[in-house]
Amino acid sequence: MSAKNLDKHNRWRNKTVAFRVSPQEDKQLEIFVKLSGLTKQDYITRRLLEKEVVVQGNPKVYKALRDQLAAVLDELRRIEAGQDVNDELLDTIQLITTIMSGMQEEAAYGN
């Protein structure tokens, strides 16, 4: 049995929620979690409760962004004239664009 944990709002997190996903959904979820810099539990909880996922830049997030951009570039090189573009790639590109846009806003405001 795992240890009981208090979250930052002093609530016990002692309930387990489990569900199944396809291999493709798991791959996409792993990418999104890595790019968010959050734990998988925190990422899924925030998304399910429709709370904003704010990416805090740190070395782990920058490495995930670099690696994912390299993977996107490899995939784009494989695609000819916009054919065979899958939805997962488009979702990943959209998330990277959102994160990079947020980083530019932070830099502009000096945060």
Side-chain angles (χ1 to χ4, degrees):
M1 187 164 141
S2 63
K4 293 181 181 179
N5 293 315
L6 284 174
D7 69 4
K8 64 182 178 182
H9 298 288
N10 206 29
R11 298 176 295 203
W12 289 108
R13 285 195 161 174
N14 56 359
K15 295 289 184 182
T16 300
V17 176
F19 54 92
R20 296 183 188 279
V21 295
S22 70
Q24 296 84 1
E25 291 167 330
D26 180 58
K27 182 179 175 184
Q28 194 70 30
L29 179 60
E30 289 295 331
I31 290 169
F32 286 8
V33 168
K34 284 180 184 176
L35 291 175
S36 75
L38 299 171
T39 64
K40 187 182 284 188
Q41 174 180 315
D42 287 339
Y43 179 82
I44 291 172
T45 301
R46 293 189 73 72
R47 294 292 302 207
L48 287 172
L49 297 176
E50 296 183 349
K51 294 182 179 177
E52 187 177 15
V53 174
V54 178
V55 176
Q56 297 295 321
N58 62 46
K60 182 177 164 184
V61 171
Y62 287 116
K63 182 181 183 308
L65 277 169
R66 183 194 68 217
D67 294 347
Q68 199 55 50
L69 281 170
V72 167
L73 181 60
D74 289 343
E75 188 67 13
L76 290 173
R77 285 183 177 146
R78 185 191 63 78
I79 296 169
E80 294 179 11
Q83 298 174 5
D84 298 318
V85 178
N86 61 40
D87 290 338
E88 290 84 12
L89 177 62
L90 295 175
D91 290 343
T92 300
I93 292 170
Q94 178 62 42
L95 180 62
I96 291 171
T97 303
T98 302
I99 291 170
M100 297 299 285
S101 176
M103 294 170 111
Q104 290 174 350
E105 288 175 16
E106 282 185 21
Y109 293 115
N111 291 335

